[in-house]
Each structure stands twice: as structure tokens, then as C-alpha cells.
């Protein structure tokens, strides 16, 4: 077998067995084998009582002055109002309305009804003491078909939201694209079509000019890797394809879109900062063999360096390009000057950390730590420290914000109506402590956004997985602060643990 063929096989195995491959389908993509595998009954939510005493003892871990504690959401997951005020259809409307795609046939039509209840949600944010709120702007609300004249009513909604944040002293952080591509653009080829990147830059320009006076930080594309893997390789996210060759062309066009949006911000004269939002997975060899080390290196290329090297070094990683091969659509699709656009200087890097990945010598993956209700998520706070310090070591001291980190729990109100998500408290506490240690070791981390402010539409899992600090009773749309929300308020008050 030639080295190339072997590499291809390894990669295929790695991709089909990756932890993220199991994401949100409930399918066990990663084999629970080998090293210290265990799955806890309540998926990390079943914390030993001695670890969750309330109020928590003051551990004396203070974060730097001005550290911005926040929470994150995204448009399709919370807004609802799918057909209101001129909003067009997105790929997620199409996908969620396709029978068999989403658990229980759930859709984002109503979601947490945030479009109508945003004022109440802003009050909740104030009650928590949030300093920063990360949300996304729905492209099809701004341009129903993905291009042309903007829809003023869509822009007005976000202006109301931004005004409400400013009134409450909460800094906005706006993501331009959190997966809800206008369906009309998908019909024209979606992210396989290079033109979509140009459309994105135009949309970004519209938003910068309309809302730029109110937004200090912009994020371009949320987790391009998830679109690539979940949307185009495994097909359990919109648009639901299984086409690896297309997937990596999509990876390139998403990054081109990122770079063009950065350039559009600079050209617009708007003063806000801008950066990418990447979900990074620290990759570790599953054992001490040389094969595992080699396979881990390539896996890291696909998980992390494919998105980091392009933006921060202006080049795709050579091992990934070699592995894809010269005939791949991606390699053929990269044009002169593209990497220069993609590596347009950014002001910050948004890191989303959920899980580590352990890679075996044959390119497969195994689990080493307990998983959460989301089977792809192994609970390993140390991974937060590792990925933050690694990024700073390998890519320089670019300011970092954590824009997502959190845990799904089977939250059910008790007889007293309270939601006792002790496991989420433990999870967050341990990840905050890891971030604190990374800051101590020189990582320029400036803010931390818990995923998520509210329970919401968790993509292919529908409403089954609850990730919020705030419980949403979907029947009545009543909000209830969970125990973790009360605990988080104290963390924010004392700026630490
Ligand atoms: C991230 C997504 C976010 C949410 C969390 C659980 O990958 O960006 O929308 O689904 O996972």
C-alpha cells in the first residue's frame, strides 16, 4: 500500500470515528474502547455532593480587572419568529422541516421566542450581572434571499437589542454567521459556490454600516469546521450532505468569507474589533506508540491547524494539503491571493472549547473521559488550559475570548420549582479554574462566554438537550434561573472563584 493510500485510509477512519462525528446524532461515532473509558449515568451532571456545596467557598482565584464574564446564544437557536418582519428562509428552516432530520421533529420556528421576549431576556442578563453578551445576527432577517437591499425591520430588531444591551451596561459581541445561510444562496450552490463568500462580505458590509456604532466586537463565521464536518461530511447538520470532497472546498470558502468580512470592516471605517470563532479540539495520542503520534498530528491538522494556520500564518498546513491531494476540489479551488485575504490581520481570536480528542495509531478515536449527554463531549477541563496555552505559543499573543463552553444536563424543575444543575456548576468551575491557570501562564484571555444563556434549539438534537444557565419551559416560554445561574452571578460579582 502506498504511503498516500495509507494516509487516505487513516484519514477516512479518523474522520468517520472522530468524536465530533458522533455529534448531536446520538450515534456512537467514537468507539468507547481502551483507556479508562467510562460514561457517567447523568452525563457529567451527576456531581458528587461534596463538590457542589453552595455557596461555594472562596478559592481566591481572581481574574484580571475588567475581565468580561458573559453568555452566548445564536439566532436560529433562540429567536423563533421564523416568518416575521420579512425574514427569509435559511438552510436550517429547510433542514429542520425535513422529516427525520431532527430529534422529535423539532424546528426553530418558535424556539425560545427571543424575538418577542428579548426585553425580558435582557433583564435576565442584567440580573446575572453579565458584562458581555455574544449573539448572532440572522442573515435571512437582513437579506431574505442573501443579497440585495437590506430588510430594515430585521436591522431594527438588532438595533433594539443593542440599545437594550447598552442601557444595561452589557457589551455586545455580534457573530455575523452562525450557520443560518439564506436558502436562496444554498439553492445557488451554498458554500461550495465561491460566490457565497462574496455575498457574505456584502451582507457583512450592510450590517457594519447599519449597526457598527453599537458593536465593539464582531465575530465572522461561527465554527467553520462544524459546517464542514457535520454539514458536509456526516450530513446530520444543514445542508445535510455526505461529500468529503465538497466539504473541504466549503472549508476554503468559509475562510475566504471570513477574510473578506475582515476587509469589509476595515473598508467601512467602522471602529469595532473583529476575529474568527473557532471550535478547537486539543488532540492527544491515545497511547505511546509512534503510530498514534503520527495519526494525532494529522488529526490536529484537520481539527485545528486547517483553520488557525490559514488565518494566522497565511498558509494551509502542508500535511493536510498533501493528505487531501492535488486533485481535491479544495486544493484546486484555492486561487492566488486567497490566503492573503484569509490572513487579513484580526484583532482577536474567539475560542470555543468543549472536548478533547484521543487518536489511535490507525487514525480512529477513543474516549478517555466521561461524556456528557452530548456523546461527542468528553469532560476534560485540562483541555481548556492546553488549547489556550498552545494557541498563544504557536500563534502569538493575539487577544483571546472564549465564546463558548458549557454542558448539557437533564434539567427538570424540582417540587419547589428550582432547577438544581449541580453538575453544570462543577463543570464550569473546573473550566474557569483551567482558564485562570492559562491566564497566569501568559494567555491574553479577556472574556468568557458560557454556552448558553438560555435553553435552546440544539440543532439535530432539537429541544432535548438543555445547555442553558436559564431554564426555558417551552410550553409557557417561562424562564427560570437554574442553580448554575445563581452561582455564576456570584462568580461575576467577585470576578473569580
Ligand atoms: C457549538 C455551537 C453552538 C451549540 C454548542 C453546543 O458547536 O456553536 O451553537 O450548538 O455547540
Amino acid at each position: 500500500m502506498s504511503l498516500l493510500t495509507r494516509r487516505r485510509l487513516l484519514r477516512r477512519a479518523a474522520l468517520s470515528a472522530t468524536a465530533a462525528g458522533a455529534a448531536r446524532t446520538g450515534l456512537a461515532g467514537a468507539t468507547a474502547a481502551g483507556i479508562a473509558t467510562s460514561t457517567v449515568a447523568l452525563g457529567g451532571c451527576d456531581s458528587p455532593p461534596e463538590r457542589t456545596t453552595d455557596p461555594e467557598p472562596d478559592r481566591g482565584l481572581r481574574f484580571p480587572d475588567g475581565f468580561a464574564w458573559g453568555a452566548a446564544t445564536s439566532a436560529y437557536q433562540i429567536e423563533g419568529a421564523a416568518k416575521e418582519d420579512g425574514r427569509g428562509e435559511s438552510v436550517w428552516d429547510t433542514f429542520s422541516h425535513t422529516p427525520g432530520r431532527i430529534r422529535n421533529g423539532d424546528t426553530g420556528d418558535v424556539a425560545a421566542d427571543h424575538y418577542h421576549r428579548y426585553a425580558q431576556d435582557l433583564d435576565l442578563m442584567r440580573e446575572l450581572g453579565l458584562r458581555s453578551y455574544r449573539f448572532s445576527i440572522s442573515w435571512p432577517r437582513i437579506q431574505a434571499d442573501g443579497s440585495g437591499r437590506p430588510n430594515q425591520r430585521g436591522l431594527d430588531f438588532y438595533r433594539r437589542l443593542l440599545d437594550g444591551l447598552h442601557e444595561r451596561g452589557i457589551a455586545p459581541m455580534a457573530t455575523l454567521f452562525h450557520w443560518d445561510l439564506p436558502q436562496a444562496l444554498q439553492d445557488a450552490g451554498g458554500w461550495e459556490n465561491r460566490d457565497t463568500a462574496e455575498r457574505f462580505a456584502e451582507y457583512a458590509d450592510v450590517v457594519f454600516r447599519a449597526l457598527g456604532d453599537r458593536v465593539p466586537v464582531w465575530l465572522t463565521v461561527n465554527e467553520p469546521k462544524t459546517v464542514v464536518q457535520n454539514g458536509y461530511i456526516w450530513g446530520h447538520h444543514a445542508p445535510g450532505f455526505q461529500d468529503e470532497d465538497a466539504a473541504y472546498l466549503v472549508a476554503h470558502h468559509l475562510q475566504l468569507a471570513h477574510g473578506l468580512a475582515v476587509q469589509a470592516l476595515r473598508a467601512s471605517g467602522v471602529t469595532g474589533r473583529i476575529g474568527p470563532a473557532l471550535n478547537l479540539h486539543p488532540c492527544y495520542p491515545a497511547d505511546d506508540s509512534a503510530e498514534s503520534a503520527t495519526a494525532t498530528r494529522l488529526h490536529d491538522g484537520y481539527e485545528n491547524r486547517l483553520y488557525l494556520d490559514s488565518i494566522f500564518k497565511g498558509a494551509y498546513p502542508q500535511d493536510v494539503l498533501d493528505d487531501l491531494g492535488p486533485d481535491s476540489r479544495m486544493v484546486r479551488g484555492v486561487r492566488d491571493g486567497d490566503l492573503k485575504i484569509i490572513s487579513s490581520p484580526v484583532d482577536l481570536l474567539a475560542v470555543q472549547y468543549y472536548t478533547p480528542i484521543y487518536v489511535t495509531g490507525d487514525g480512529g478515536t477513543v474516549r478517555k473521559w466521561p461524556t456528557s449527554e452530548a456523546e461527542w463531549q468528553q469532560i476534560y477541563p485540562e483541555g481548556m488550559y492546553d488549547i489556550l496555552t498552545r494557541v498563544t505559543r504557536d500563534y502569538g499573543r493575539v487577544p483571546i475570548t472564549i465564546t463558548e463552553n458549557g454542558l448539557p444536563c437533564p434539567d427538570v424543575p424540582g417540587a419547589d420549582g428550582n432547577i438544581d444543575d449541580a453538575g453544570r456548576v462543577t463543570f464550569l468551575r473546573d473550566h474557569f479554574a483551567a482558564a485562570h491557570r492559562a491566564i497566569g501562564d501568559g494567555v491574553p484571555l479577556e472574556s468568557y462566554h458560557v454556552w448558553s444563556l438560555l435553553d435552546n434549539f440544539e440543532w439535530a438534537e432539537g429541544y432535548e438537550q438543555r445547555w442553558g444557565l436559564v431554564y426555558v419551559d417551552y410550553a409557557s416560554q417561562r424562564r427560570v434561573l437554574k442553580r448554575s445561574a445563581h452561582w455564576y452571578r456570584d462568580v461575576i460579582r467577585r470576578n473569580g472563584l
Side-chain angles (χ1 to χ4, degrees), residues 242-302:
Q242 292 184 323
D243 181 346
E244 205 175 308
D245 204 19
Y248 289 100
L249 183 63
V250 163
H252 177 58
H253 291 158
L254 283 163
Q255 300 197 64
L256 194 59
H258 155 83
L260 289 169
V262 172
Q263 295 192 342
L265 180 77
R266 308 299 185 213
S268 71
V270 166
T271 53
R273 297 191 297 157
I274 193 164
L278 304 179
N279 55 328
L280 301 176
H281 294 81
C283 297
Y284 308 95
D287 55 53
D288 291 338
S289 66
E291 289 80 7
S292 289
T294 306
T296 302
R297 175 84 190 147
L298 182 57
H299 208 101
D300 176 71
Y302 277 101

Side-chain angles (χ1 to χ4, degrees), residues 24 77 178-179 222-223 352 354 404 451 458-459 467:
R24 306 172 172 106
Q77 294 181 273
H178 201 122
W179 305 349
N222 179 70
E223 299 190 354
Q352 322 205 143
Y354 287 99
E404 290 188 26
W451 184 270
E458 175 50 23
W459 310 113
W467 290 78

Side-chain angles (χ1 to χ4, degrees), residues 153-359:
R153 286 176 296 171
L155 288 169
D156 288 347
F157 168 69
Y158 294 106
R159 181 152 286 272
R160 290 196 294 277
L161 180 71
L162 289 166
D163 286 346
L165 288 166
H166 281 270
E167 279 158 22
R168 291 165 181 81
I170 303 166
M173 189 180 277
T175 310
L176 290 163
F177 178 68
H178 201 122
W179 305 349
D180 43 1
L181 184 74
Q183 181 60 43
L185 293 184
Q186 186 62 46
D187 296 341
W191 291 109
E192 283 177 73
N193 183 351
R194 188 181 169 95
D195 194 50
T196 300
E198 302 285 348
R199 298 286 79 73
F200 179 70
E202 282 172 18
Y203 150 71
D205 180 65
V206 164
V207 175
F208 295 149
R209 289 176 198 276
L211 305 174
D213 60 329
R214 282 272 186 264
V215 179
V217 179
W218 298 97
L219 303 174
T220 53
V221 175
N222 179 70
E223 299 190 354
K225 183 173 69 186
T226 308
V227 177
V228 172
Q229 294 183 345
N230 296 24
Y232 280 85
I233 295 179
W234 298 297
H236 53 254
H237 274 194
F241 296 154
Q242 292 184 323
D243 181 346
E244 205 175 308
D245 204 19
Y248 289 100
L249 183 63
V250 163
H252 177 58
H253 291 158
L254 283 163
Q255 300 197 64
L256 194 59
H258 155 83
L260 289 169
V262 172
Q263 295 192 342
L265 180 77
R266 308 299 185 213
S268 71
V270 166
T271 53
R273 297 191 297 157
I274 193 164
L278 304 179
N279 55 328
L280 301 176
H281 294 81
C283 297
Y284 308 95
D287 55 53
D288 291 338
S289 66
E291 289 80 7
S292 289
T294 306
T296 302
R297 175 84 190 147
L298 182 57
H299 208 101
D300 176 71
Y302 277 101
E303 293 288 340
N304 304 312
R305 285 179 286 115
L306 182 58
Y307 306 92
L308 287 165
D309 284 13
S310 46
I311 292 174
F312 293 102
K313 297 186 172 173
Y316 283 123
Q318 196 55 49
D319 56 345
V320 174
L321 292 181
D322 290 348
D323 191 65
L324 287 167
D327 297 334
S328 66
R329 286 180 73 191
M330 178 195 171
V331 173
R332 286 187 288 122
V334 178
R335 297 189 190 163
D336 282 354
D338 283 1
L339 267 307
K340 196 151 188 297
I341 296 170
I342 294 171
S343 61
S344 303
V346 294
D347 304 301
L348 78 170
L349 167 65
V351 173
Q352 322 205 143
Y353 170 70
Y354 287 99
T355 190
I357 295 179
Y358 292 86
V359 185

Side-chain angles (χ1 to χ4, degrees), residues 36 47 100 109 117 122 219 245 256 267 317 326 343 351 365 426 451 486:
S47 263
D109 288 0
R117 293 167 199 266
L122 286 165
L219 303 174
D245 204 19
L256 194 59
S343 61
V351 173
T365 61
T426 304
W451 184 270
H486 293 286

